[in-house]
Amino acid sequence: MTSNGPQAVTEIFQSHKILCGQASQLLTSPNRGQRLSPGSKLATKTRKLLTLFRAIILILDELPSGTEIIIPVPTTIQGTGAVRVIDFRHQFTAKLSAYYSRQSQNDYDDIIFLFGINSDAIFGFSHQLDLNHRQYFAEIYTYHNSSETSWIDFVRRVLRL
């Protein structure tokens, strides 16, 4: 890929749409128009590949609206110009989802950090977050901080629980 910025995203999106179409064809016509047997390894791998490509397309489709432009200080390896980054709402949503899925201490620490940066923003969109994810994080936070009732109440209030 030789492009940068929005054109690069468009190129990635288009190539994944093509790959998704090819994966779909594999599901319906792998051997001269014959259908794959549902339980075969090839059918299972192809379905997983198709699901992956569909997810990538959805993510790339959401990418422009889920980012913001920042001007880094100090200079980064990309130079002194503006850099597109994932916006705060999408960062927090991804971290909360990741923590729910893998229970990683790093994800937990990142969520605490994001709370410290902008709890007002989290409160503004927390009603849009998955309820199970919010409840799980609040339960674990309560477990680890049982003596800090004011902080527990704060976290629960910000997450609208």
Side-chain angles (χ1 to χ4, degrees), residues 55-67:
I56 290 169
I57 288 170
L58 289 173
I59 290 167
L60 290 173
D61 191 38
E62 178 75 13
L63 188 62
S65 65
T67 61

Side-chain angles (χ1 to χ4, degrees), residues 67-118:
T67 61
E68 59 188 333
I69 302 279
I70 64 166
I71 298 176
V73 176
T75 302
T76 67
I77 58 172
Q78 283 121 352
T80 58
V83 178
R84 187 167 291 280
V85 297
I86 299 172
D87 69 19
F88 185 79
R89 181 176 65 92
H90 285 86
Q91 285 179 34
F92 189 83
T93 303
K95 275 295 165 184
L96 192 63
S97 177
Y99 182 66
Y100 181 81
S101 299
R102 51 186 188 207
Q103 294 87 41
S104 164
Q105 183 64 42
N106 289 338
D107 293 328
Y108 178 88
D109 293 341
D110 289 344
I111 292 168
I112 297 298
F113 175 76
L114 293 172
F115 256 93
I117 289 176
N118 200 343

Side-chain angles (χ1 to χ4, degrees), residues 6-68:
Q7 185 177 354
V9 171
T10 301
E11 288 175 9
I12 292 169
F13 181 77
Q14 292 302 323
S15 66
H16 286 323
K17 280 177 67 174
I18 291 167
L19 288 171
C20 190
Q22 290 171 347
S24 182
Q25 280 183 330
L26 281 174
L27 280 174
T28 56
S29 59
N31 298 316
R32 297 185 200 153
Q34 296 176 3
R35 234 175 147 62
L36 287 173
S37 62
S40 73
K41 287 183 182 180
L42 182 59
T44 301
K45 287 180 180 180
T46 305
R47 281 188 186 86
K48 287 180 181 177
L49 180 65
L50 183 57
T51 301
L52 174 65
F53 286 136
R54 285 181 178 152
I56 290 169
I57 288 170
L58 289 173
I59 290 167
L60 290 173
D61 191 38
E62 178 75 13
L63 188 62
S65 65
T67 61
E68 59 188 333

